[in-house]
Amino acid sequence: MISAVVLTKNEENNIIDCLETLLWCNEIIIIDDFSKDRTIDVIKSLNSSKIKIFQRKLDNDFSSQRNFGLSKAKGEWVLFVDADEKLSNGLIGEMKDLLEGESPAYNGFYIERKDFMWGRQLLHGETGNIKLLRLAKKDSGVWTGRVHEIWDVRGGRGNLKMPLLHYPHQTIAEFLEDINYYTDLRSKELYDKGVQVKWWQIIAYPCAKFKLNYFLKLGFMDGIPGLIFALMMSFHSFLVRGKLWILWQKK
């Protein structure tokens, strides 16, 4: 038995595309952070008995939210998918073959993720080669980290061949809003860990990140979307360190 877990908040534009690729699972657990749009109504419109909806405050802690979803899942295997992601047909078939055959040799599996922004797949840069641990046995580990969280799975880990499809930040305004939110969380997390930042790092890290993603990782080959993405992620790096510096000044 496999359970899919999806975290949601104001995802009315994405959630149907996501859930339609999960209906083959035995159950779908929705953990909703009290969406203010039509997310819940849209989910209910699928009229599937497999879908179970729980509303719970995120409280700026993604691992806690994911672990709550893990606790509600009944399947031996659990698959985590974000609301702006969907499974490729190949990935669905691969997972079915894996779980319907002999007991897998691993406790968890990495899945390659392909990013699509503004009508184009990003083949290079920061998103050009991402693998995420998203499928694992339920009792093999827990999620850690408030943001940019990691599923800390014990035991062996394998790799699936077929991709997960990701459609984030479909407007610049949405991209900026997300960056502002996630850098708030990340800077506070670093502050709570006692991490300090020097003034030159606020400048150096974003510049180095842009050179890495745009030139060394060939982000320029993705055209204008690649340039925008490289600039935005450098801005992300700048905001994390700038906000961290401000937090220490307020102490």
Side-chain angles (χ1 to χ4, degrees), residues 67 133 136 140-144 149-155 157:
N67 285 328
L133 186 61
S140 63
V142 297
W143 288 85
T144 61
E149 62 280 11
I150 296 173
W151 199 356
D152 187 11
V153 171
R154 301 180 299 276
R157 305 174 184 183

Side-chain angles (χ1 to χ4, degrees), residues 6-118:
V6 184
L7 306 189
T8 61
K9 182 171 185 178
N10 300 332
E11 295 286 357
E12 65 178 1
N13 294 326
N14 298 313
I15 195 61
I16 287 292
D17 287 342
C18 172
L19 294 182
E20 285 181 341
T21 68
L22 298 175
L23 291 174
W24 62 275
C25 296
N26 298 101
E27 68 172 356
I28 303 172
I29 306 296
I30 304 292
I31 311 300
D32 182 70
D33 182 20
F34 293 93
S35 292
K36 299 187 185 313
D37 65 359
R38 296 184 60 254
T39 296
I40 299 299
D41 291 335
V42 170
I43 293 171
K44 290 180 177 179
S45 72
L46 286 174
N47 196 29
S48 172
S49 60
K50 294 182 176 182
I51 298 175
K52 302 172 183 177
I53 301 172
F54 300 88
Q55 289 194 298
R56 181 179 187 266
K57 289 294 293 181
L58 177 67
D59 198 26
N60 296 333
D61 191 333
F62 282 90
S63 284
S64 176
Q65 199 81 328
R66 291 190 187 274
N67 285 328
F68 178 77
L70 199 58
S71 73
K72 296 299 181 182
K74 295 180 180 178
E76 177 187 3
W77 288 86
V78 180
L79 170 67
F80 280 88
V81 181
D82 290 342
D84 59 359
E85 298 171 340
K86 60 182 182 180
L87 277 58
S88 63
N89 290 333
L91 181 57
I92 293 172
E94 186 177 12
M95 284 194 286
K96 284 182 177 179
D97 290 342
L98 174 73
L99 301 178
E100 291 173 1
E102 296 183 7
S103 180
Y106 302 102
N107 283 343
F109 289 88
Y110 288 97
I111 303 173
E112 185 177 12
R113 189 172 74 179
K114 302 293 187 183
D115 279 50
F116 295 82
M117 298 184 70
W118 310 303

Side-chain angles (χ1 to χ4, degrees), residues 117-129:
M117 298 184 70
W118 310 303
R120 179 166 182 165
Q121 181 180 348
L122 300 183
L123 298 173
H124 308 282
E126 187 165 331
T127 64
N129 186 27

